[in-house]
Amino acid sequence: DTISSANNSNDTIKVSSNVKWHVQSDQSWLKANVDSLIGNGEFILTATQNPTNALRTATVTVSATGTVTKTIAVTQIANI
């Protein structure tokens, strides 16, 4: 998934589930609008502005007890 370099760039991710699930980003510049939901739903990833002229990456983890954990690689483009 690729996100613009601008402040508040975002992307919506849909999740299909019948249990409670959790979402977490491993980078402080990329935040999800929810920590967890139950059942089908979606979350919005929002990035702060990339102040550098280099790509930066984050890994978002979607997990639920007793199910397969999924990861999403997010790349934010450079500020050119």
Side-chain angles (χ1 to χ4, degrees):
D1 198 17
T2 303
I3 292 181
S4 164
S5 65
N7 193 38
N8 293 321
S9 298
N10 61 62
D11 196 9
T12 300
I13 308 295
K14 294 184 179 188
V15 175
S16 296
S17 177
N18 60 359
V19 297
K20 183 176 183 177
W21 50 272
H22 306 273
V23 60
Q24 183 174 4
S25 170
D26 71 343
Q27 298 296 317
S28 62
W29 57 265
L30 185 68
K31 304 272 188 208
N33 67 321
V34 297
D35 292 326
S36 64
L37 287 174
I38 298 173
N40 295 335
E42 62 185 33
F43 60 92
I44 300 170
L45 294 173
T46 302
T48 60
Q49 182 173 359
N50 185 348
T52 72
N53 62 356
L55 294 173
R56 60 183 181 178
T57 60
T59 300
V60 176
T61 304
V62 179
S63 61
T65 302
T67 65
V68 177
T69 297
K70 299 287 185 178
T71 57
I72 303 164
V74 177
T75 302
Q76 186 178 34
I77 61 175
N79 188 10
I80 298 174

